[in-house]
Amino acid sequence: MRPAPDGSWCVIGAGPSGLTALKNLLAAGIPAECLEREAAPGGNWNFGAATSRVFASTRLVSSKSLTAYLDHPMPREWPAYPDHRQCLHYLRSYVRRFGLAPHIVTGTAVERVEPAGPPGAGWLVHVAGGPPRPCAGVVVASGHNHVPRLPDVPGRFSGTLVHAADYKSPSVPVDVAGARVLVVGGGNSGCDIAVEVSRHAARTVHSTRRGYYVVPREILGRPADLRGERLLRMGLPAWLRRAVSLRMIDRTIGLPARHGLPAPDHRLWETHPIVNSELYARIDSGAIEPAGDVVRFAGDTVEFAGGRRAAFDVVICATGYRTVHPFIDARLLGADAPDGLPRLCLNLLHRTRDDLAVVGLIQPDSGQWGLTDLQSRLVARMALAARRAPQAAAWLYAERQRPPRSPPIRYVSSPRHALEVEHFSYRRDLERLIAGMDRRIRRARA
C-alpha cells in the first residue's frame, strides 16, 4: 500500500485553495489529483452546494486586482468587486486554462487521512465508498468555514435562530419581511446581512461586541484596498499610513463617532477590516439600530450589555466558524493547545514533514487567492526538493524551525483573528522562501 517515491500527491478540496495547489504541483512536475466532495469545483463559491456559505447577494470585499491568482487576472470589464457568480466563473476558467479537470475527482468525500507508515512512507486517504488511496503527500485545502460558531449566550430564544452559514437571502431560510430581526456579529457577513435585512424587516438591530472601523469599498473612485496597497509600497511607517487612511475614511463615509457609534477599543487594522459602503447610511436613517453584546435570551426577549431589552422574531448569528479538519488527527497538523488550531510554519507548512501542507488556512486583511497561489508555489517546491534537491529541502527544513517573527500588526485577541495575517508582509515572507528554494533547486540541477 505504500506509494512509490515519485508517487502522486493528493489535494483535498477543489475550491480556490485546492485549485491553485493542484495547478502548482502539476506545473512543478509533481503528479497530483484533487478530491472534491461536491459535484463540481468552486468550493465556497459554488452557490447552492451544501458546503457553500455565500448568499445570493455576496460579492468580494477585496478588489479583484488584489484577489486574483498571480497568473490569471480577472477580466478588465468586470466590476472592482465581482459577485459570487463571477467568482465561480473565474475559478472554472482557471480550471480550463490550466487543464486541471482531468486531475479533479468530484463527488468524492474524504473521510480519513492517516500516515501509511513512518515519515517518508506517504499517506493513505480514505474516501467514502472506495478503497484507500495511497499518496506521497497531502495538501489539505478544504477551507475553514464549515462548522458554525454560535455565541455562548445563557437562556433560550423562542423565535427562529439561524447562523449566517445558512442565510441565503431575506426569504431563505426564513422570511424576514415584517419581522423583528436581530443580527449578531460585527464582521463583513454580519454587516452585509444587517444592511440587506433592514430593507425588508419591520425592525433591524445589529449587535456587536465592540466598536469597529468601517472602510468604504471605494475612496476617491478607486478600491480602498488599492489605496492602502499604494501606501504600503511607498514604505510609509504604520503610524503615517494609519493617519492618512483614517483621514480618507473620514472624508468618504465618516468615522464611527460621526454616526453615534462607540469609539473602537483598538487602532485601525488591529481587527479584520469591515468593508461596507452602506452600513452607516442605514444606521443614520434609522433602518438599523446598533446595540451592544448579547448577554441573555429569555423567550422572545434579548438582553444586551447595559441592561437594554427588546423582543425579536428572528436572530441571525454571523459569529464565524470553528477551525476544524475532521478527517485528519489535529496532532498531525501540529495542534498542541486546547483550541485545536494547527501550529504550522506560516499557517502552511508542517514543521518537520515535507509531505504535508494546509493551503488557505489564513484570513488576510486583503485578497486571498493570490496569497494561496504563492503558498502553493512554495508547497510545490518543497515537494520537488524532497525528491531531487536535498540541500534545498534541508534549507527549507531549517527555515521552518525558526521562531515566527513578530507580526507587523497586533490583532485583537479573539477567535475571529486566530488565522489573521497582514497580507503585505505575509506575501513577502512567501516570496523570500520561494526565491531561496528556486536558487537551490537550480544549483541541484546544474
Side-chain angles (χ1 to χ4, degrees):
M1 295 294 293
R2 292 185 180 181
D6 290 329
S8 175
W9 274 56
C10 178
V11 178
I12 301 173
S17 298
L19 293 178
T20 193
L22 176 65
K23 178 260 181 182
N24 281 292
L25 284 168
L26 294 172
I30 305 296
E33 71 172 358
C34 179
L35 305 182
E36 168 58 47
R37 64 180 166 183
E38 299 296 338
N44 194 39
W45 297 91
N46 192 5
F47 179 72
T51 54
S52 173
R53 300 311 190 197
V54 300
F55 36 94
S57 60
T58 296
R59 53 183 174 142
L60 291 174
V61 294
S62 54
S63 67
K64 64 181 181 182
S65 301
L66 291 181
T67 300
Y69 297 126
L70 303 181
D71 51 6
H72 190 58
M74 294 188 187
R76 293 176 61 89
E77 64 271 18
W78 281 10
Y81 296 93
D83 63 29
H84 69 82
R85 299 166 189 84
Q86 292 168 315
C87 289
L88 182 60
H89 174 82
Y90 170 78
L91 295 172
R92 292 183 177 174
S93 71
Y94 186 79
V95 171
R96 291 191 297 272
R97 176 175 179 177
F98 295 106
L100 303 182
H103 306 275
I104 301 173
V105 184
T106 57
T108 304
V110 173
E111 296 184 330
R112 191 169 79 259
V113 175
E114 62 183 359
W123 298 84
L124 293 177
V125 178
H126 299 261
V127 300
R133 293 169 124 89
C135 58
V138 172
V139 175
V140 177
S142 52
H144 48 86
N145 289 339
H146 297 298
V147 180
R149 182 190 299 275
L150 289 168
D152 185 15
V153 178
R156 180 180 175 275
F157 180 63
S158 61
T160 302
L161 188 147
V162 299
H163 191 273
D166 300 311
Y167 177 87
K168 299 303 174 188
S169 74
S171 60
V172 179
V174 58
D175 190 347
V176 301
R180 301 165 297 179
V181 180
L182 170 64
V183 179
V184 182
N188 282 291
S189 293
C191 292
D192 286 347
I193 291 172
V195 167
E196 185 167 80
V197 163
S198 72
R199 299 192 177 101
H200 303 270
R203 182 186 189 188
T204 302
V205 176
H206 186 203
S207 164
T208 60
R209 185 173 298 171
R210 55 171 49 89
Y212 292 98
Y213 292 102
V214 176
V215 179
R217 287 184 178 270
E218 293 189 349
I219 293 177
L220 300 177
R222 292 198 73 200
D225 59 359
L226 290 181
R227 295 284 181 193
E229 192 76 2
R230 183 181 181 187
L231 298 179
L232 284 163
R233 292 188 182 280
M234 290 170 63
L236 300 181
W239 68 265
L240 182 55
R241 288 190 291 109
R242 188 174 280 117
V244 171
S245 297
L246 285 171
R247 181 172 177 80
M248 290 193 293
I249 293 169
D250 195 26
R251 294 182 63 178
T252 304
I253 60 171
L255 295 175
R258 292 187 183 274
H259 306 280
L261 298 172
D265 59 1
H266 55 276
R267 295 179 296 179
L268 182 66
W269 306 322
E270 290 181 344
T271 59
H272 187 71
I274 298 170
V275 181
N276 197 298
S277 295
E278 301 174 87
L279 180 68
Y280 284 164
R282 300 301 289 170
I283 291 173
D284 293 345
S285 71
I288 296 176
E289 304 171 41
D293 201 12
V294 175
V295 298
R296 185 176 303 278
F297 292 138
D300 68 349
T301 301
V302 177
E303 180 181 343
F304 300 94
R308 173 186 174 186
R309 290 178 173 86
F312 295 95
D313 306 299
V314 178
V315 174
I316 302 173
C317 298
T319 46
Y321 299 85
R322 300 187 184 278
T323 303
V324 297
H325 300 96
F327 49 79
I328 187 169
D329 188 330
R331 291 170 296 183
L332 291 171
L333 299 176
D336 58 0
D339 61 14
L341 286 174
R343 297 297 190 265
L344 304 167
C345 175
L346 294 175
N347 281 24
L348 171 66
L349 303 179
H350 194 279
R351 294 282 178 182
T352 60
R353 298 191 66 130
D354 292 334
D355 58 0
L356 179 63
V358 184
V359 171
L361 191 65
I362 53 173
Q363 179 169 274
D365 57 2
S366 185
Q368 178 155 330
W369 301 346
L371 293 179
T372 55
D373 193 340
L374 286 171
Q375 285 185 325
S376 300
R377 295 180 186 203
L378 181 57
V379 171
R381 284 155 176 78
M382 179 180 72
L384 185 63
R387 298 180 182 199
R388 304 177 188 173
Q391 289 185 330
W395 177 79
L396 185 59
Y397 180 93
E399 289 291 316
R400 303 200 306 267
Q401 308 317 306
R402 294 179 182 272
R405 63 183 180 83
S406 298
I409 301 290
R410 293 286 184 180
Y411 295 104
V412 168
S413 178
S414 72
R416 182 184 179 205
H417 297 102
L419 304 178
E420 193 78 18
V421 297
E422 193 279 314
H423 77 281
F424 195 78
S425 59
Y426 186 80
R427 183 170 62 212
R428 287 193 300 183
D429 287 343
L430 291 172
E431 290 171 340
R432 180 184 69 83
L433 292 174
I434 290 168
M437 289 296 285
D438 282 344
R439 288 194 300 271
R440 289 163 176 82
I441 291 172
R442 281 197 299 269
R443 289 177 198 156
R445 289 172 172 171

